Amino acid sequence: MVYAYYPGCTLKTHAKGFELSAMASLEKLGVKYRELEKWTCCGTVYSLASDDAMRQVAQVRILTRAESAGYRRMLTLCSMCYNTLKRANMLVRSDPERLETINMFMDDEPDYKGSVEVKHLLEVLRDEVTFDKIRSMVSKPLRGLRISAYYGCLLLRPKTVSIDSSINPHVMEDLLSSLGAEPIDSPEKAKCCGAYLTVNRKDLVAGFAYEILSAARRRGAELVVTSCPLCFFNLDRRQEEVSRMYEDYKPIPILYVTQLLALALGIRDVYMFNLHYVDPTSLLKSKGLL
Amino acid sequence: MGYGVFICHCGQNIAGTIDIEKLVRKVSGIRGVTHVEDYIFMCSDPGQERIKKAIKEKNLEGIVVAACSPSLHEETFRKAAESVGLNPYLVEIANIREWSAWPHQAEPEEATMKAFKIIESTVEKLNGDKPLEPLRLEVVRRVMVIGGGIAGIQAALDVAEAGIEVILVERSPSIGGRMAQLSETFPTLDCPQCILTPKMTSVAHHPLVKLLAYSEVEEVSGSAGNFKVKVRRKPTYVDWNKCVGCGLCMEACPVELPSEFEMGLAHRKAIYIQFPQAVPNKAVIDSENCIRMKYGRGCGLCAQKCPANAITFEDNGKAEEYDVGAIIVATGLEVMDKANFAEYGAGELKDVLTGLEFERMLAPSGPTGGKVVRPSDGRVPKEVVFIQCVGSRDPENWNPYCSKICCMYTAKQALLYKHAVPGGQAYIFYIDIRADGKGYEEFIHRAMAEEGVIYLRGRVGRVYQEGDKLRVEGVDTISGLKIVIDADMVVLATAAVPSSGVEELAKKLRIQLGEGGWLKEAHLKLRPLETLTSGVFIAGAAQYPKDITDTVSQASGAAAKAVAFLSKGYVVREPLIAVVNEDICSGCGNCEEACSYQAIKVVDGKANVDESLCEGCGSCTAACPSGAVQLKNYDKRQIIKMVESIVG
Amino acid sequence: MQLVIWRSKIHSPEVEKIIELSGQNVYSCYQCGMCTASCPSTGNMDIPPNMIVRLIQIGMIGKVLDSRSIWVCTSCFTCFAECPKGIDIASLTEALRLYHLRRNIDHLNLSSIPHGELLELPVIAMVGALRKFTA
Amino acid sequence: MIRAVLRGDVHKQAVSLLTELLSKGLADYVLAYRTRGEGVEACIYRKGDVLDLNVFTPTIPGLPIPTILSWSSTSGLKGVVAAIVKPCMARAIVELAKLQQIDRDKLIIVSVDCIGTIDVENYKDLLEEGFTQTGITEECLNGRLEMREACGLCTDPVPPVFDLHLSPYKGGLYAYAGSKLGNKILEVLKAPREEGDPYVKFKNLISRRQEEKQRYVEEAKFKGFDELQKFFEDCIGCHNCMEVCPLCFCKECFYDSPRYDYVTRRFLSWSPQDGMTPLLQSKLQFHVGRAVHMSTSCVECGLCEQACPKDINLTRLFLLLAEANQELFSYRAGRSVEEEPPLRTFHAEGLSSFEGG
């Protein structure tokens, strides 16, 4: 079955390396996908108000476009897209009245019937491709690379949309092990990165980043991976602020989990490391991976 | 002639909402009703006298008492009627209190109408009622007690002391149960070994008690007074007639496994005696892990060492059948595994213990000889955090109920820790302190005020390893502060849950489980020791978490219930059971499939009801496509008439 | 310090509105504090999450509406994941924010952020913040 | 599957096979239909009788063979019966056996190819018009004669369960063995044997009918309760549908019993008290009640419609119900002896939904 690939805003700009590495890896692993035509913004954050159908229209419009184009499954890379689309989908599936209202809002689109499943890339890798298959296809094992996986919030919470345990997840660790790397467990792996507070409270976000990254470093990690462009930005770019706040702080490279996947699968030229604030190339070179 | 209706005011319970005068007037108009009377308390002696008098004087053919739920006073009114010669099954209760007066306090007029409808429909039912005679069955004067913890031991002793034979069944190699695992008991700080061991010995040696250790109930048939129980004696691979419990075999055995009794904090061998004071003090071989048993050859070191030549390696166990009149279920509780709690390390953090594990550590006979040390590095912990309500009072994730015993045992453990480590600091995170027993509040006071345990009101969100410390992130909701403690050890008061396997046992016994899997009592207030299956009683924590005091009291209560049940020599059973109209029955067997009590069987193409087994539940009547099976005095026709009178 | 309470204060229209908007039953909270204990932002808050619920329970809605806490909550749902009574406090803080935002009182003023910083922010952060903090 | 090849006239071969069953003591009785002046009637043959039966009769009369078999267990008919049945009736037999109404051990199911039957009312007229039996079948298949609606949607020209299955072919008759007993019979008969598959020649027919049926089920759905009420408007409450149903096995139907003296007129007495009182139709209760009892074992034979004096389209109702309710339990009536009838299988877990948790 072919996935409708929903990129979302940042995958085409700041997180280009995330998209390129993910797409190249999926092709190599034989997962079929096509980018959804005419996709729009997912809304970024899921509206938590009980009376606000308007704020679910964006997500349902995306879902109905996928449905009417004949897709049954939608693939997301960004945690926030995953969360908003999945929650909106669950809401309208369980609340026909809400769905009807939203369908009325969307004059220009066919009514959504609720037949699309929203999946995150990690779920697809785990459940469809399987890590065993990935292990067998690794051409350049990430031997000796000590990596802390950072999940953030929206892949794990609320529990209804979680792709793994919402307190102690291990899907990324399992993936990293299959790539030959050494996962480092950190108690801060499911802690919030501060999200959109990065706009008006970068001091707070830097505080979160410091706690998350120093906990990983203390446990011996050389690298932190994530699968969300906003987490990435907050952990990577805000290290500038962290360094300002803590003088002895030593920056640590942040990668998208798919960049490591692509590396291990021997794919070239999809990394866009120039978009990273903390340059990972010297670390990767020292491990013989570049 | 005709029917009488007796309307109870129940003080203000009914009369406060329902217009009695109007109700009496309306009820007088029901066809067939020749006598209506109201009174403030029908269940009182003068109330009953009124009923008796009316039955005699008016020569009533049947009566309806409009009062509270039949589970409370149906029996009372039946007896009153019987004493003046009216068949007790021509007494019907119209429940106008729970069904109308209480739920409709805000709408008295409608409540009065509803009460009338209830009475009217009950009169309709009475119309179809037939006089019945109760069934009488002889009983077997023998009791089976399932579970050999303190509850089972106490119940067995009490029954035996009353001169009735007891079969005590315990699934592990020794009796003693959870109490045998404890360090000291609150609030008196008695050593459980000192008070439990004598009871274990006396139950094992009582002439009227037959102890079946390492055995499980496999099948139960029959009914109250006449149960047949098949017990499987599990294979021990050791001849217990020869075994003297010297323990040389254990020394010889090369296989080490985590000990269940020590909660995994110490090892046992593949051949083992459960614990030093075990009763019976006999060894068993864990056949799954014994080298000789696994490969069929080799090793055999234990057999070489055994001075009594008791080790056989061959034993298929056996099934034995016992006839018993009553059964007492005393299967006790377990605590939840810490691996369930991801926020507290999911069992990966070595220095996070459950209460029961810590209990073993505190026990003088335990794996550390009563020393408190960290399992990770053997150091004495200076800062210990106790967390209560782990998995309890948590309807969203685990159990909605309060485990009841944790407040007290946590206080005790904190206190014992302070005794073991004088310079140490204990912290207890709690939501509420429930100290509702004799001397309990004083005990908490002692922990707080005299022994310096710090109580923090709130829960802990997370525990994780930070260096060689456990970082505890909690909250104190009284000060409104987030609390961080770098602890050396964390003890979780994990929720009490019913013993594993109780679900299957309940199915075999045909008793119900309630919320959380605890055994369901017949009535929470008035029949807490009985189950809805007559002849089966409950003792101890199988019903709900209990401390030792409550467990022992309840065990004695259950024993008294069982003794009283058997001492009459016969059981009387309600005749309200299924009956088959053979002219209509086509023998399809739907009823047989529907019956949970194996009480109805198709014999020669006709359904046939075993009166001693039928509980009168009505499943068969619902399953019968043609209506050939009916309940006595609950005939479909009566029910349709009742419905008619309500909707009409 | 004392607080005088009466029925219509506890169930004031503001309280009812917040409860309705959030869809949460705050009265099932028994103040175990799990939310505060697990919340990553407690350190930045003036009123911890459990206290927010408590204050709503006793009708002190004004104090909650004025608090800084509702603007540093990142809707990470850790409280919701841990709450034994299944109360989604993130939805509660959202309702409290909306109380202001629906009166057209923005919390975020983009012009106060240096232009250079705005340029380097990813779209995802901008849209998220605008949706959470502006009317 | 093993089949015996019996060359020669199809009818004669079938009769001689059945005669041999009786003479060799494999069966004590043969139960089948024969054509008589009035139309078609069921007949029981014993050893020595002339078997003037009609193996491939293109109609099913209102006294179905499964019903006769269910009576036979309580009558004087002691011994093994070989029943010659259409596939739908073979499925009904399997259902009744599960409900303990038929002793499967004392029964040889001899099924025959069936691509459809005509209404029994028309049968006599057609014979008088000069049609032969095979002629009727052929004309049905070519669409020149109307077969019963249920038959047009039937996807079982060969039943899923049988002991022997008789299937004409050019030049003779195949007798397939569908069970151990069938194999044994073929051994005793000593006819030349070979491998074969009775379903294969109907492959196209089955797939075509499956599609048709699917379309039918989609289109024929009832739109609400009002339509159902209208559907039964003409019902006169004769209960004929129940009488001919091969699966209604109760000795006394609840709806015929004194327990059900809960009649419409009783509502009349309520009206003066309560004002406007819509009168419930007891006939609708009868049909809904019957539907509840039958839908999971219904074999969609359509005999109920054939028997209805008011020509109510009962095939539609029962086909829809059977499809929907059997699918609900992943069950298909008459598919296998092992499959447990859904409404008769009680699971303790199911209880919780009634106890509310």
Side-chain angles (χ1 to χ4, degrees):
Chain A
M1 205 184 325
V2 181
Y3 283 95
Y5 162 54
Y6 174 78
C9 55
T10 308
L11 271 288
K12 297 292 182 191
T13 52
H14 280 67
K16 196 73 196 156
F18 187 11
E19 179 178 50
L20 290 176
S21 58
M23 296 302 115
S25 304
L26 285 178
E27 265 152 40
K28 189 134 195 178
L29 294 168
V31 177
K32 292 200 193 82
Y33 67 88
R34 266 197 305 276
E35 186 169 322
L36 186 64
E37 277 178 42
K38 292 200 296 181
W39 57 266
T40 54
C41 172
C42 71
T44 317
V45 286
Y46 180 76
S47 170
L48 302 173
S50 61
D51 65 347
D52 198 359
M54 205 47 210
R55 292 211 173 192
Q56 268 107 29
V57 174
Q59 294 96 313
V60 178
R61 178 178 287 124
I62 293 162
L63 291 167
T64 194
R65 282 182 183 165
E67 184 174 69
S68 49
Y71 296 106
R72 286 292 167 270
R73 292 191 291 183
M74 186 186 280
L75 173 72
T76 56
L77 298 189
C78 165
S79 306
M80 296 186 93
C81 301
Y82 167 75
N83 195 279
T84 52
L85 291 170
K86 179 108 176 181
R87 285 190 83 173
N89 201 21
M90 281 177 70
L91 176 84
V92 296
R93 278 177 175 193
S94 63
D95 186 348
E97 268 177 47
R98 181 70 71 103
L99 178 58
E100 210 180 305
T101 321
I102 294 174
N103 276 333
M104 278 186 329
F105 270 119
M106 302 186 302
D107 280 347
D108 47 337
E109 305 285 344
D111 281 0
Y112 181 52
K113 294 189 194 64
S115 67
V116 176
E117 280 301 331
V118 178
K119 294 266 177 198
H120 186 262
L121 173 75
L122 285 169
E123 287 180 291
V124 175
L125 293 178
R126 177 187 62 195
D127 304 332
E128 193 185 324
V129 180
T130 74
F131 294 156
D132 282 339
K133 180 173 173 196
I134 292 177
R135 184 176 290 116
S136 72
M137 291 182 69
V138 165
S139 62
K140 212 192 262 180
L142 310 178
R143 221 159 268 139
L145 201 54
R146 293 146 64 83
I147 308 168
S148 172
Y150 173 73
Y151 291 83
C153 308
L154 297 179
L155 287 182
L156 307 178
R157 294 182 293 267
K159 275 181 265 187
T160 44
V161 296
S162 182
I163 63 165
D164 201 347
S165 154
S166 50
I167 296 165
N168 191 17
H170 52 82
V171 49
M172 277 206 262
E173 277 88 345
D174 293 349
L175 173 60
L176 292 171
S177 305
S178 71
L179 302 180
E182 184 187 336
I184 302 288
D185 196 28
S186 162
E188 309 285 8
K189 66 183 175 187
K191 186 186 184 126
C192 183
C193 68
Y196 41 79
L197 284 183
T198 203
V199 175
N200 57 338
R201 292 299 302 270
K202 67 178 180 180
D203 56 324
L204 295 186
V205 170
F208 286 129
Y210 175 71
E211 282 171 29
I212 292 161
L213 297 176
S214 55
R217 171 139 271 161
R218 270 203 305 285
R219 285 164 177 76
E222 303 164 290
L223 186 66
V224 173
V225 295
T226 174
S227 82
C228 169
L230 186 52
C231 296
F232 178 87
F233 179 82
N234 285 346
L235 294 186
D236 182 54
R237 188 70 186 83
R238 288 290 172 246
Q239 285 189 63
E240 183 186 27
E241 192 75 10
V242 175
S243 304
R244 229 190 328 264
M245 285 159 62
Y246 303 90
E247 274 179 10
D248 58 343
Y249 178 77
K250 225 177 106 211
I252 183 166
I254 315 293
L255 255 66
Y256 288 107
V257 68
T258 54
Q259 289 175 316
L260 286 175
L261 174 63
L263 266 177
L265 293 174
I267 296 166
R268 300 168 69 98
D269 304 330
V270 288
Y271 299 104
M272 313 284 286
F273 288 138
N274 57 326
L275 294 175
H276 293 222
Y277 172 73
V278 180
D279 187 3
T281 47
S282 62
L283 172 73
L284 296 174
K285 270 189 186 139
S286 76
K287 300 282 174 184
L289 294 167
L290 278 183
Chain B
M1 296 306 280
Y3 301 133
V5 177
F6 300 86
I7 301 169
C8 180
H9 298 189
C10 197
Q12 281 294 298
N13 274 314
I14 292 172
T17 305
I18 285 168
D19 182 345
I20 301 280
E21 219 177 291
K22 186 174 166 194
L23 187 60
V24 169
R25 214 166 43 238
K26 281 190 71 87
V27 169
S28 312
I30 300 175
R31 201 162 45 89
V33 173
T34 53
H35 178 82
V36 186
E37 188 172 347
D38 64 297
Y39 186 64
I40 179 161
F41 287 115
M42 269 308 165
C43 58
S44 67
D45 274 351
Q48 291 187 45
E49 281 311 316
R50 281 164 175 261
I51 296 178
K52 289 186 200 167
K53 190 160 157 257
I55 294 174
K56 273 191 292 194
E57 284 179 1
K58 301 256 173 122
N59 205 8
L60 297 175
E61 297 164 291
I63 62 166
V64 171
V65 184
C68 54
S69 157
S71 64
L72 292 167
H73 284 301
E74 186 174 55
E75 204 51 46
T76 316
F77 296 122
R78 278 186 177 172
K79 282 204 176 116
E82 199 176 10
S83 72
V84 288
L86 179 66
N87 185 287
Y89 296 96
L90 299 176
V91 175
E92 290 290 346
I93 307 292
N95 180 3
I96 61 170
R97 191 179 74 175
E98 283 86 339
W99 285 359
S100 185
W102 280 354
H104 303 300
Q105 280 171 12
E107 54 251 303
E109 221 165 282
E110 284 86 348
T112 307
M113 250 335 273
K114 185 173 172 188
F116 170 69
K117 287 278 182 188
I118 294 170
I119 295 171
E120 195 189 18
S121 72
T122 315
V123 173
E124 278 297 344
K125 174 171 189 306
L126 190 56
N127 243 326
D129 280 347
K130 296 191 175 51
L132 301 171
E133 288 307 319
L135 306 165
R136 226 180 217 233
L137 301 164
E138 293 285 310
V139 299
V140 180
R141 276 174 61 88
R142 193 178 294 122
V143 175
M144 175 166 286
V145 178
I146 304 171
I150 182 61
I153 293 172
Q154 185 64 46
L157 279 173
D158 287 352
V159 173
E161 281 302 301
I164 292 176
E165 254 182 76
V166 180
I167 317 281
L168 176 57
V169 183
E170 165 59 48
R171 66 176 168 187
S172 56
S174 166
I175 54 172
R178 292 282 158 227
M179 188 175 169
Q181 289 179 287
L182 305 183
S183 54
E184 289 176 16
T185 59
F186 59 79
T188 49
L189 299 186
D190 280 320
C191 143
Q193 299 297 347
C194 320
I195 54 179
L196 174 66
T197 321
K199 274 193 188 277
M200 288 163 66
T201 326
S202 63
V203 80
H205 293 133
H206 199 290
L208 285 179
V209 178
K210 187 176 170 72
L211 172 58
L212 309 178
Y214 215 43
S215 304
E216 277 182 75
V217 169
E218 198 159 72
E219 208 182 296
V220 182
S221 57
S223 66
N226 295 279
F227 293 109
K228 270 195 192 327
V229 187
K230 208 184 268 172
V231 176
R232 195 170 68 87
R233 312 292 306 269
K234 295 193 276 190
T236 59
Y237 310 103
V238 175
D239 183 345
W240 277 13
N241 292 323
K242 292 184 186 164
C243 175
V244 293
C246 67
L248 286 174
C249 52
M250 290 156 63
E251 279 172 29
C253 178
V255 184
E256 287 206 333
L257 300 155
S259 155
E260 296 85 359
F261 183 79
E262 299 294 359
M263 302 308 293
L265 292 178
H267 289 120
R268 66 160 169 83
K269 298 298 185 62
I271 183 167
Y272 66 106
I273 296 173
Q274 202 180 353
F275 56 101
Q277 302 80 10
V279 173
N281 191 16
K282 308 282 181 193
V284 296
I285 295 180
D286 166 358
S287 63
E288 272 174 36
N289 293 298
C290 166
I291 295 174
R292 170 67 168 262
M293 301 288 303
K294 241 188 338 196
Y295 303 110
R297 62 195 167 79
C299 194
L301 288 174
C302 52
Q304 285 173 28
K305 276 283 163 73
C306 179
N309 243 338
I311 293 161
T312 60
F313 297 117
E314 265 173 31
D315 185 352
N316 294 321
K318 53 186 169 179
E320 290 171 355
E321 197 169 85
Y322 294 92
D323 289 326
V324 295
I327 297 173
I328 297 175
V329 189
T331 47
L333 55 73
E334 280 173 12
V335 295
M336 277 180 80
D337 190 347
K338 59 190 175 188
N340 287 313
F341 304 100
E343 63 272 38
Y344 304 142
E348 308 262 312
L349 302 174
K350 279 193 174 153
D351 298 328
V352 175
L353 304 180
T354 65
L356 202 50
E357 287 165 356
F358 195 59
E359 202 68 53
R360 285 315 296 153
M361 191 175 271
L362 290 169
S365 60
T368 58
K371 272 212 205 90
V372 179
V373 290
R374 306 208 318 167
S376 63
D377 55 11
R379 275 199 307 121
V380 175
K382 293 289 181 198
E383 307 262 334
V384 178
V385 172
F386 294 85
I387 307 174
Q388 290 191 184
C389 300
V390 178
S392 305
R393 303 182 69 191
D394 186 347
E396 195 64 20
N397 304 301
W398 304 107
N399 305 303
Y401 54 81
C402 163
S403 292
K404 199 163 182 248
I405 49 176
C406 325
C407 285
M408 291 311 296
Y409 83 62
T410 303
K412 174 199 74 182
Q413 290 179 348
L415 203 136
L416 292 179
Y417 161 72
K418 296 276 289 179
H419 294 178
V421 184
Q425 181 61 55
Y427 307 88
I428 297 179
F429 281 93
Y430 71 101
I431 307 176
D432 297 290
I433 298 176
R434 294 180 174 174
D436 61 347
K438 191 173 180 180
Y440 288 9
E441 181 58 31
E442 294 87 330
F443 188 78
I444 298 282
H445 170 82
R446 179 176 163 191
M448 275 184 188
E450 290 164 22
E451 309 268 0
V453 176
I454 296 289
Y455 269 80
L456 295 158
R457 199 225 168 264
R459 277 184 67 165
V460 171
R462 226 152 46 118
V463 174
Y464 58 89
Q465 193 82 40
E466 194 65 71
D468 70 341
K469 293 278 191 179
L470 292 170
R471 174 152 298 170
V472 179
E473 294 182 1
V475 66
D476 175 49
T477 57
I478 298 176
S479 62
L481 293 173
K482 188 157 178 170
I483 304 280
V484 178
I485 299 173
D486 276 335
D488 298 307
M489 189 183 265
V490 171
V491 181
L492 308 175
T494 52
V497 290
S499 285
S500 61
V502 74
E503 212 169 309
E504 294 91 81
L505 181 67
K507 254 185 213 155
K508 290 172 193 164
L509 290 166
R510 303 188 298 269
I511 58 181
Q512 286 179 298
L513 298 179
E515 199 77 40
W518 303 102
L519 293 184
K520 196 167 180 178
E521 58 291 306
H523 187 281
L524 187 58
K525 298 271 167 234
L526 301 178
R527 295 169 68 198
L529 308 169
E530 294 153 74
T531 64
L532 282 172
T533 302
S534 166
V536 180
F537 304 94
I538 317 174
Q543 182 220 4
Y544 190 68
K546 283 188 185 62
D547 59 31
I548 296 168
T549 314
D550 287 357
T551 299
V552 170
S553 327
Q554 204 203 16
S556 290
K561 280 278 172 196
V563 170
F565 177 72
L566 296 183
S567 57
K568 217 167 22 177
Y570 61 87
V571 281
V572 177
R573 286 172 56 85
E574 285 275 15
L576 303 174
I577 55 171
V579 57
V580 178
N581 181 345
E582 296 205 348
D583 292 340
I584 304 175
C585 175
S586 52
C588 68
N590 279 0
C591 49
E592 196 176 319
E593 295 283 334
C595 182
S596 320
Y597 304 95
Q598 290 91 46
I600 191 162
K601 296 235 152 49
V602 177
V603 181
D604 295 334
K606 300 284 173 204
N608 192 305
V609 180
D610 182 339
E611 295 192 339
S612 68
L613 293 178
C614 177
E615 290 281 341
C617 71
S619 297
C620 52
T621 62
C624 180
S626 63
V629 193
Q630 294 296 327
L631 280 186
K632 285 183 185 169
N633 282 2
Y634 280 99
D635 194 284
K636 232 171 215 165
R637 199 164 178 171
Q638 279 177 288
I639 293 169
I640 288 179
K641 285 252 173 75
M642 290 174 78
V643 173
E644 265 177 29
S645 84
I646 287 169
V647 297
Chain C
M1 274 197 297
Q2 68 175 15
L3 170 70
V4 182
I5 54 177
W6 61 95
R7 193 191 141 73
S8 59
K9 177 174 170 62
I10 294 173
H11 300 285
S12 69
E14 285 86 359
V15 171
E16 302 290 307
K17 182 72 200 166
I18 294 301
I19 288 175
E20 188 206 321
L21 206 51
S22 66
Q24 302 304 309
N25 181 1
V26 294
Y27 302 106
S28 71
C29 171
Y30 63 161
Q31 287 293 313
C32 70
M34 201 65 176
C35 45
T36 303
S38 55
C39 174
S41 297
T42 309
N44 307 322
M45 291 180 170
D46 51 351
I47 301 177
N50 74 293
M51 207 68 93
I52 291 178
V53 181
R54 182 69 192 144
L55 291 172
I56 297 174
Q57 281 178 336
I58 59 171
M60 287 188 73
I61 190 80
K63 197 167 170 184
V64 180
L65 284 168
D66 290 342
S67 81
R68 192 169 71 231
S69 301
I70 61 175
W71 303 108
V72 295
C73 167
T74 56
S75 304
C76 74
F77 301 109
T78 312
C79 48
F80 184 26
E82 299 276 4
C83 179
K85 294 300 188 87
I87 305 173
D88 180 1
I89 301 178
S91 287
L92 210 55
T93 54
E94 177 108 333
L96 292 163
R97 284 191 296 270
L98 286 175
Y99 184 86
H100 296 286
L101 301 178
R102 289 193 180 174
R103 281 166 180 67
N104 269 332
I105 308 167
D106 285 351
H107 178 71
L108 174 67
N109 181 5
L110 282 185
S111 60
S112 68
I113 297 166
H115 189 65
E117 268 184 36
L118 276 184
L119 280 185
E120 71 177 21
L121 282 168
V123 188
I124 189 170
M126 293 293 293
V127 178
L130 288 172
R131 288 192 49 141
K132 285 282 179 182
F133 296 147
T134 61
Chain D
M1 210 176 281
I2 301 291
R3 69 179 176 207
V5 185
L6 310 164
R7 288 184 209 287
D9 179 70
V10 170
H11 181 70
K12 274 185 194 150
Q13 285 296 351
V15 170
S16 84
L17 184 149
L18 296 171
T19 313
E20 257 187 88
L21 279 184
L22 290 174
S23 65
K24 294 228 162 93
L26 291 162
D28 300 296
Y29 305 97
V30 165
L31 176 54
Y33 291 121
R34 62 177 181 181
T35 306
R36 271 298 178 269
E38 290 298 307
V40 175
E41 67 184 17
C43 189
I44 299 170
Y45 301 89
R46 284 166 302 177
K47 190 173 170 182
D49 290 344
V50 179
L51 269 59
D52 55 351
L53 46 74
N54 226 342
V55 176
F56 297 98
T57 163
T59 184
I60 304 177
L63 181 53
I65 281 179
T67 308
I68 302 171
L69 286 169
S70 75
W71 297 340
S72 71
S73 60
T74 49
S75 68
L77 213 59
K78 303 264 183 293
V80 177
V81 183
I84 320 303
V85 286
K86 301 280 182 197
C88 50
M89 293 302 127
R91 289 174 58 209
I93 286 172
V94 170
E95 284 301 293
L96 285 179
K98 286 188 226 176
L99 292 160
Q100 307 193 14
Q101 300 305 305
I102 289 178
D103 190 350
R104 180 71 181 85
D105 296 339
K106 291 192 177 148
L107 177 68
I108 305 172
I109 302 177
V110 184
S111 57
V112 296
D113 277 0
C114 177
I115 47 122
T117 58
I118 56 161
D119 201 295
V120 71
E121 292 277 310
N122 303 337
Y123 180 57
K124 207 178 128 204
D125 301 344
L126 288 170
L127 286 186
E128 276 171 10
E129 278 172 36
F131 278 96
T132 59
Q133 287 192 34
T134 42
I136 291 173
T137 314
E138 271 166 24
E139 292 297 292
C140 279
L141 204 56
N142 296 335
R144 281 192 286 274
L145 274 179
E146 197 184 355
M147 62 173 93
R148 297 193 298 117
E149 190 182 13
C151 295
L153 296 163
C154 170
T155 55
D156 286 294
V158 180
V161 177
F162 57 82
D163 294 311
L164 281 184
H165 180 78
L166 305 182
S167 172
Y169 77 103
K170 216 174 171 184
L173 180 71
Y174 288 133
Y176 291 89
S179 65
K180 274 190 192 147
L181 177 66
N183 277 328
K184 206 182 112 192
I185 293 170
L186 291 193
E187 267 171 40
V188 176
L189 290 180
K190 294 192 178 117
R193 272 168 290 156
E194 61 182 35
E195 277 287 321
D197 181 352
Y199 304 95
V200 73
K201 75 171 169 187
F202 293 115
K203 221 178 115 198
N204 289 337
L205 178 86
I206 292 173
S207 68
R208 197 180 69 231
R209 290 230 179 123
Q210 268 165 345
E211 276 168 31
E212 268 167 37
K213 191 164 169 181
Q214 209 161 359
R215 209 176 314 130
Y216 182 86
V217 169
E218 292 281 314
E219 285 165 8
K221 284 209 173 89
F222 285 86
K223 287 158 204 75
F225 186 72
D226 288 345
E227 197 187 341
L228 193 67
Q229 200 134 12
K230 211 169 153 54
F231 184 78
F232 282 116
E233 225 166 34
D234 289 346
C235 171
I236 54 172
C238 70
H239 292 194
N240 242 3
C241 47
M242 177 184 93
E243 293 293 339
V244 301
C245 176
L247 288 152
C248 258
F249 65 83
C250 290
K251 285 204 178 132
E252 179 186 279
C253 179
F254 178 73
Y255 295 102
D256 284 342
S257 73
R259 288 191 176 74
Y260 195 69
D261 57 3
Y262 178 56
V263 287
T264 311
R265 66 171 178 271
R266 194 169 289 264
F267 286 87
L268 290 175
S269 64
W270 296 339
S271 186
Q273 292 172 35
D274 293 4
M276 190 180 91
T277 305
L279 302 187
L280 276 188
Q281 293 190 25
S282 62
K283 66 183 180 194
L284 195 61
Q285 287 206 9
F286 162 75
H287 287 293
V288 171
R290 203 176 94 78
V292 167
H293 283 173
M294 305 317 305
S295 64
T296 51
S297 40
C298 175
V299 297
E300 301 153 35
C301 66
L303 287 188
C304 41
E305 178 167 341
Q306 177 177 279
C308 181
K310 301 295 286 180
D311 291 334
I312 297 172
N313 188 198
L314 288 161
T315 302
R316 173 179 166 206
L317 177 77
F318 273 93
L319 194 113
L320 288 173
L321 280 171
E323 286 293 308
N325 287 358
Q326 293 177 21
E327 193 189 318
L328 198 63
F329 299 99
S330 310
Y331 181 79
R332 183 161 148 74
R335 176 162 59 187
S336 115
V337 187
E338 281 76 37
E339 239 179 320
E340 290 204 56
L343 294 186
R344 190 172 178 245
T345 315
F346 291 85
H347 296 287
E349 307 87 74
L351 208 59
S352 59
S353 59
F354 294 99
E355 290 173 338

